[in-house]
Amino acid sequence: MPVTGKELEVRVLFVSSPGLGHVNPMIPLARALTARGHEVRWAVAGEFTGHLERLGFVAHAAGLGERERWRRVRVAIGADQAVAGPPPGFGGPNGFATLFGRVSARPMAESLSEITTKWPPDLFVHDMSELASAPIAGALGVAHVTHSWAWVLPPETYGPAAEW
Protein backbone atom coordinates (compact mmCIF):
# COMPACT_ATOMS: atom_id res chain seq x y z
CA MET A 1 0.00 0.00 0.00
CA PRO A 2 1.51 3.39 -0.93
CA VAL A 3 2.30 5.82 1.85
CA THR A 4 0.34 9.04 1.41
CA GLY A 5 1.96 10.93 4.25
CA LYS A 6 -1.25 10.88 6.28
CA GLU A 7 -0.08 7.71 8.03
CA LEU A 8 3.11 9.47 9.06
CA GLU A 9 1.57 12.42 10.89
CA VAL A 10 2.72 12.47 14.48
CA ARG A 11 1.35 14.40 17.44
CA VAL A 12 4.40 15.83 19.20
CA LEU A 13 4.30 17.45 22.63
CA PHE A 14 7.31 19.63 23.37
CA VAL A 15 7.85 20.07 27.10
CA SER A 16 10.24 22.58 28.55
CA SER A 17 11.43 23.98 31.82
CA PRO A 18 10.73 27.70 32.03
CA GLY A 19 13.36 30.02 30.63
CA LEU A 20 14.19 31.19 27.13
CA GLY A 21 17.42 29.20 27.32
CA HIS A 22 15.30 26.07 27.66
CA VAL A 23 12.51 26.98 25.22
CA ASN A 24 14.30 28.72 22.35
CA PRO A 25 16.78 25.93 21.47
CA MET A 26 13.81 23.62 20.82
CA ILE A 27 11.99 25.98 18.43
CA PRO A 28 13.87 25.02 15.22
CA LEU A 29 13.00 21.34 15.71
CA ALA A 30 9.37 22.18 16.48
CA ARG A 31 9.21 24.33 13.34
CA ALA A 32 10.78 21.59 11.23
CA LEU A 33 8.27 19.02 12.48
CA THR A 34 5.39 21.42 11.84
CA ALA A 35 6.67 22.07 8.30
CA ARG A 36 6.63 18.30 7.71
CA GLY A 37 2.95 18.17 8.60
CA HIS A 38 3.18 16.94 12.18
CA GLU A 39 0.95 18.42 14.85
CA VAL A 40 3.12 20.16 17.44
CA ARG A 41 2.05 21.53 20.80
CA TRP A 42 3.97 22.80 23.82
CA ALA A 43 3.67 22.36 27.56
CA VAL A 44 5.57 25.09 29.39
CA ALA A 45 5.17 27.51 32.29
CA GLY A 46 2.39 30.01 31.72
CA GLU A 47 4.69 32.99 31.31
CA PHE A 48 6.11 31.41 28.12
CA THR A 49 2.88 30.40 26.38
CA GLY A 50 2.46 33.85 24.79
CA HIS A 51 5.98 33.70 23.36
CA LEU A 52 5.23 30.37 21.71
CA GLU A 53 1.77 31.39 20.54
CA ARG A 54 3.26 34.48 18.84
CA LEU A 55 5.48 32.02 16.94
CA GLY A 56 2.42 30.09 15.79
CA PHE A 57 2.38 27.19 18.24
CA VAL A 58 -0.41 25.92 20.46
CA ALA A 59 0.95 26.17 24.00
CA HIS A 60 -0.47 24.77 27.24
CA ALA A 61 0.45 26.31 30.60
CA ALA A 62 2.15 23.55 32.57
CA GLY A 63 4.28 23.17 35.66
CA LEU A 64 5.66 26.02 37.70
CA GLY A 65 6.76 29.44 36.55
CA GLU A 66 10.20 30.85 37.32
CA ARG A 67 9.20 32.94 40.33
CA GLU A 68 7.29 30.10 42.00
CA ARG A 69 10.06 27.56 41.30
CA TRP A 70 12.65 29.74 43.01
CA ARG A 71 10.31 30.47 45.90
CA ARG A 72 9.86 26.72 46.44
CA VAL A 73 13.59 26.09 46.13
CA ARG A 74 14.26 28.68 48.82
CA VAL A 75 11.67 27.04 51.09
CA ALA A 76 13.11 23.57 50.40
CA ILE A 77 16.64 24.55 51.36
CA GLY A 78 15.75 27.04 54.10
CA ALA A 79 17.09 30.09 52.24
CA ASP A 80 16.06 33.71 52.80
CA GLN A 81 12.57 34.27 51.33
CA ALA A 82 13.00 38.04 51.14
CA VAL A 83 15.19 37.67 48.05
CA ALA A 84 13.99 36.34 44.67
CA GLY A 85 15.84 33.99 42.36
CA PRO A 86 18.55 31.46 43.08
CA PRO A 87 20.20 31.54 46.49
CA PRO A 88 23.90 32.49 46.57
CA GLY A 89 26.10 29.50 45.80
CA PHE A 90 23.18 27.44 44.54
CA GLY A 91 24.13 24.94 41.85
CA GLY A 92 25.93 21.68 41.18
CA PRO A 93 24.32 18.24 41.35
CA ASN A 94 22.40 19.05 44.55
CA GLY A 95 21.09 22.29 43.07
CA PHE A 96 20.04 20.50 39.87
CA ALA A 97 18.29 17.81 41.93
CA THR A 98 16.48 20.38 44.07
CA LEU A 99 15.34 22.66 41.25
CA PHE A 100 14.48 20.16 38.53
CA GLY A 101 13.68 17.04 40.57
CA ARG A 102 12.42 17.97 44.02
CA VAL A 103 10.62 21.22 43.12
CA SER A 104 9.66 21.06 39.43
CA ALA A 105 9.00 17.47 38.39
CA ARG A 106 5.79 16.70 40.30
CA PRO A 107 3.87 19.89 39.30
CA MET A 108 4.88 19.32 35.67
CA ALA A 109 3.82 15.66 35.84
CA GLU A 110 0.42 16.73 37.16
CA SER A 111 0.03 19.22 34.29
CA LEU A 112 1.17 16.67 31.71
CA SER A 113 -1.33 14.13 32.99
CA GLU A 114 -4.14 16.65 32.42
CA ILE A 115 -2.87 17.78 29.01
CA THR A 116 -2.32 14.27 27.67
CA THR A 117 -5.78 13.14 28.77
CA LYS A 118 -7.26 15.76 26.44
CA TRP A 119 -4.58 15.60 23.73
CA PRO A 120 -2.62 12.32 23.74
CA PRO A 121 0.70 12.76 21.93
CA ASP A 122 2.58 10.14 19.92
CA LEU A 123 5.92 11.56 21.01
CA PHE A 124 7.31 13.78 23.78
CA VAL A 125 10.30 16.03 23.09
CA HIS A 126 11.55 17.49 26.35
CA ASP A 127 14.52 19.56 27.38
CA MET A 128 17.28 17.87 29.33
CA SER A 129 16.29 19.43 32.64
CA GLU A 130 12.57 18.68 32.35
CA LEU A 131 12.27 15.43 34.30
CA ALA A 132 8.51 14.69 34.25
CA SER A 133 8.10 13.81 30.57
CA ALA A 134 10.01 10.53 30.56
CA PRO A 135 7.96 8.87 33.33
CA ILE A 136 4.69 10.21 31.92
CA ALA A 137 5.62 9.02 28.43
CA GLY A 138 6.53 5.62 29.85
CA ALA A 139 3.22 5.34 31.68
CA LEU A 140 1.40 6.18 28.45
CA GLY A 141 3.52 3.82 26.35
CA VAL A 142 4.70 6.76 24.24
CA ALA A 143 8.23 7.46 23.02
CA HIS A 144 10.19 10.43 24.33
CA VAL A 145 13.28 12.26 23.15
CA THR A 146 15.56 14.44 25.24
CA HIS A 147 16.55 17.68 23.53
CA SER A 148 19.83 18.96 24.92
CA TRP A 149 20.77 22.61 25.24
CA ALA A 150 24.19 21.89 26.72
CA TRP A 151 26.76 19.17 27.27
CA VAL A 152 25.69 15.75 28.53
CA LEU A 153 25.16 15.86 32.27
CA PRO A 154 26.89 13.12 34.26
CA PRO A 155 25.05 10.43 36.25
CA GLU A 156 25.99 12.11 39.53
CA THR A 157 23.88 15.09 38.40
CA TYR A 158 20.88 13.14 37.07
CA GLY A 159 20.93 10.47 39.78
CA PRO A 160 19.89 12.64 42.74
CA ALA A 161 17.30 14.44 40.60
CA ALA A 162 15.79 11.12 39.49
CA GLU A 163 15.35 10.06 43.11
CA TRP A 164 12.89 12.91 43.60
Side-chain angles (χ1 to χ4, degrees):
M1 178 164 84
V3 175
T4 64
K6 194 74 171 163
E7 296 86 356
L8 299 178
E9 286 182 10
V10 177
R11 295 173 85 168
V12 184
L13 183 61
F14 278 73
V15 187
S16 177
S17 294
L20 292 177
H22 296 268
V23 174
N24 284 346
M26 299 172 75
I27 290 172
L29 178 58
R31 283 184 170 156
L33 290 170
T34 301
R36 297 288 303 223
H38 302 297
E39 188 175 356
V40 171
R41 293 190 180 189
W42 287 76
V44 66
E47 68 252 38
F48 293 95
T49 58
H51 171 65
L52 291 163
E53 289 166 351
R54 283 188 294 279
L55 296 173
F57 297 107
V58 173
H60 302 275
L64 301 174
E66 279 291 305
R67 185 177 302 261
E68 180 61 14
R69 284 185 354 151
W70 286 117
R71 187 193 70 74
R72 290 186 186 194
V73 163
R74 288 176 163 281
V75 168
I77 66 172
D80 181 5
Q81 291 298 305
V83 181
F90 186 81
N94 288 333
F96 185 92
T98 300
L99 177 60
F100 297 112
R102 183 177 181 184
V103 168
S104 301
R106 186 173 307 275
M108 180 59 84
E110 292 166 359
S111 294
L112 291 177
S113 292
E114 291 176 24
I115 291 165
T116 59
T117 297
K118 296 173 186 165
W119 191 81
D122 301 307
L123 173 68
F124 284 81
V125 177
H126 57 94
D127 88 63
M128 63 190 275
S129 64
E130 195 290 301
L131 303 177
S133 293
I136 295 294
L140 294 173
V142 174
H144 72 94
V145 175
T146 302
H147 186 284
S148 180
W149 40 257
W151 54 93
V152 175
L153 296 175
E156 56 269 16
T157 297
Y158 272 116
E163 289 178 22
W164 287 104

